[in-house]
């Protein structure tokens, strides 16, 4: 065991959805901690931009696209990473989407699209990369949950259901893989304005309510997720599995704030 439990030098990480938003911040955090990081999304221009940032940190990467709703593309990306690096130590599942609609009126197609991307997409990546990790006897899987794993958010039922499902998936995988050397955990971010949710939370009544419910009185900054991700992907978390770490400015702890 190295002197620095948080050192990720020599590790190979794949971050699905790692080219934008919170996944991007996590990818850069892992690279800063020493890991070689492959970020993927459906758009090559985003992959190229993120890859250049990772290389600027002195790390290796690959430029490959993939879509979590397409198993063949995920398998091809997995195979490309193995061909280049010979292993995969870390998988972060950060690809996600949302849809705002009243629950009684939400179209089944919109519901299914969110579940397919957020929940089933996470399952696909866990299956494809998890099998390789189990065979190697080592792995760290980090899924991205949400405050809506634990509490209801009006008008985004599909998103909330998908994130609650991700937490259940995380726990079940954790116990199934507990003796294989593969740890499975999740991070539940508080409110972090990103391209996905900015129009819902910035300068809106919803955003004001979220700030009132957050004891720190502010939204999170993407880089503030990196520490939790580095911890869960490191040897410091060797006995941590099946957990969901909230990075939320006190939101879930809050009852009455004044």
């Amino acid at each position: 065991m190295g002197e620095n439990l948080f050192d990720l030098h020599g590790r190979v990480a794949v971050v699905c959805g790692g080219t934008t938003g919170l996944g991007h911040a996590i990818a850069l955090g892992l690279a800063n901690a020493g890991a070689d990081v492959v970020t993927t999304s459906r758009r090559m221009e985003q992959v190229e931009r993120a890859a250049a940032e990772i290389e600027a940190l002195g790390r290796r990467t690959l430029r490959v696209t993939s879509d979590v709703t397409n198993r063949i593309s995920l398998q091809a990306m997995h195979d490309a990473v193995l061909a280049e690096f010979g292993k995969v130590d870390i998988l972060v599942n950060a690809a996600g989407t949302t849809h705002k609609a009243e629950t009684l009126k939400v179209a089944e197609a919109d519901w299914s699209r969110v579940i397919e991307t957020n929940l089933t997409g996470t399952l696909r990546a866990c299956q494809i990369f998890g099998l390789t990790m189990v065979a190697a006897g080592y792995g760290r899987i980090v899924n991205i949950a949400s405050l809506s794993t634990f509490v209801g958010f009006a008008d985004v039922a599909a998103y909330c259901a998908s994130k609650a499902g991700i937490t259940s998936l995380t726990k079940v995988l954790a116990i199934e893989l507990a003796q294989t050397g593969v740890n499975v955990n999740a991070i539940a971010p508080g409110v972090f304005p990103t391209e996905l949710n900015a129009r819902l939370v910035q300068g809106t009544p919803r955003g004001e309510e979220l700030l009132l419910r957050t004891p720190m009185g502010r939204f999170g900054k993407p880089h503030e997720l990196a520490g939790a991700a580095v911890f869960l992907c490191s040897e410091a978390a060797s006995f941590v599995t099946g957990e969901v770490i909230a990075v939320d400015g006190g939101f879930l702890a809050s009852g009455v704030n004044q």
Side-chain angles (χ1 to χ4, degrees):
M1 183 180 294
E3 292 182 6
N4 183 355
L5 290 175
F6 300 94
D7 184 7
L8 298 182
H9 282 86
R11 298 300 187 194
V12 176
V14 170
V15 183
C16 294
T19 62
T20 59
L22 301 185
H24 181 239
I26 289 171
L28 294 181
L30 297 178
N32 271 313
D36 294 322
V37 182
V38 177
T39 62
T40 73
S41 77
R42 292 172 296 174
R43 293 185 282 279
M44 180 54 81
E45 65 271 17
Q46 293 181 342
V47 171
E48 292 276 5
R49 189 162 56 245
E53 291 178 279
I54 290 163
E55 288 170 344
L57 295 171
R59 311 295 174 230
R60 296 171 64 203
T61 188
L62 272 184
R63 288 162 169 79
V64 288
T65 57
S66 68
D67 181 349
V68 296
T69 67
N70 184 316
R71 182 177 288 270
I72 292 173
S73 81
L74 275 181
Q75 185 68 54
M77 183 263 291
H78 162 277
D79 295 349
V81 174
L82 276 192
E84 176 69 22
F85 295 98
K87 63 174 184 171
V88 178
D89 302 299
I90 295 163
L91 170 68
V92 179
N93 286 304
T97 190
T98 191
H99 179 77
K100 189 171 187 285
E102 294 178 42
T103 304
L104 295 183
K105 298 178 181 178
V106 65
E108 281 193 26
D110 291 321
W111 169 278
S112 297
R113 176 175 54 82
V114 173
I115 297 294
E116 175 73 9
T117 299
N118 296 2
L119 180 55
T120 312
T122 294
L123 170 68
R124 286 188 189 97
C126 286
Q127 288 179 326
I128 290 168
F129 287 88
L131 285 169
T132 296
M133 291 176 175
V134 168
Y138 182 90
R140 297 284 188 267
I141 297 175
V142 178
N143 298 322
I144 303 301
S146 168
L147 295 180
S148 63
T149 292
F150 306 98
V151 295
F153 281 41
D155 300 332
V156 286
Y159 182 83
C160 294
S162 73
K163 293 299 186 176
I166 282 173
T167 296
S168 291
L169 173 63
T170 297
K171 291 178 180 293
V172 173
L173 267 179
I175 61 172
E176 289 183 7
L177 303 184
Q179 296 186 36
T180 69
V182 180
N183 294 14
V184 188
N185 293 287
I187 297 172
V191 185
F192 291 76
T194 66
E195 291 178 16
L196 184 65
N197 67 6
R199 64 184 179 81
L200 298 177
V201 302
Q202 289 185 315
T204 64
R206 191 183 190 94
E208 289 302 312
E209 181 182 354
L210 288 166
L211 285 174
L212 284 172
R213 290 170 176 264
T214 302
M216 285 192 179
R218 65 174 177 85
F219 294 140
K221 300 170 185 175
H223 73 268
E224 293 180 304
L225 275 185
V230 169
F231 164 66
L232 290 174
C233 293
S234 74
E235 286 308 296
S238 59
F239 199 54
V240 179
T241 199
E243 287 300 313
V244 183
I245 296 180
V247 183
D248 69 352
F251 186 104
L252 291 174
S254 176
V256 176
N257 292 328
Q258 55 188 326

